[in-house]
Amino acid sequence: MPSMTTIDTQPPYPLPHRLDVRNSAAVGKAISELIEGSPQSLILDARDLAYISSKGVHTLRRLRICLQAAGGALTVVGPRPFVREVLTYGGLGDILQPMEGERPTGR
């Protein structure tokens, strides 16, 4: 599992246990540095993410905008039900990989 301020360099990139005001800027910066200079599709592994605040949602929203502007895409895989619900209510349902048997949510 990554520390609160670093992201693994092999996809899918695991998110920390919490993504909130204490670490979202550092996690966002680490991801931004990872994708800097090469537009790509980025897959974030949220299996270990137990809590995400509005600041964490904002960080992921900013990353999605940057990637889309560069021709890439952001996908989050494996979120727990609470995290899935927060991301969906935060307008990020379209970046969630559908669970088996589930239809994509979209916006």
Side-chain angles (χ1 to χ4, degrees):
M1 176 164 49
S3 75
M4 291 184 74
T5 59
T6 62
I7 296 294
D8 239 343
T9 57
Q10 296 299 313
Y13 304 97
L15 290 170
H17 185 69
R18 295 177 63 91
L19 189 55
D20 56 25
V21 70
R22 289 178 280 173
N23 68 344
S24 62
V27 169
K29 182 178 182 211
I31 295 170
S32 293
E33 289 173 357
L34 185 67
I35 62 175
E36 192 171 280
S38 67
Q40 60 185 350
S41 292
L42 181 68
I43 300 171
L44 299 177
D45 183 346
R47 287 179 292 177
D48 291 331
L49 183 62
Y51 177 78
I52 185 167
S53 71
S54 60
K55 183 68 172 170
V57 171
H58 176 74
T59 297
L60 295 181
R61 189 178 296 131
R62 260 192 11 254
L63 288 169
R64 176 183 66 179
I65 290 168
C66 290
L67 283 166
Q68 286 177 336
L74 178 64
T75 303
V76 174
V77 297
R80 297 174 188 199
F82 169 76
V83 172
R84 176 177 286 278
E85 187 174 349
V86 169
L87 291 174
T88 299
Y89 286 137
L92 293 174
D94 59 325
I95 69 169
L96 297 169
Q97 178 178 327
M99 296 185 324
E100 192 162 321
E102 182 182 47
R103 291 175 33 183
T105 54
R107 285 192 350 152

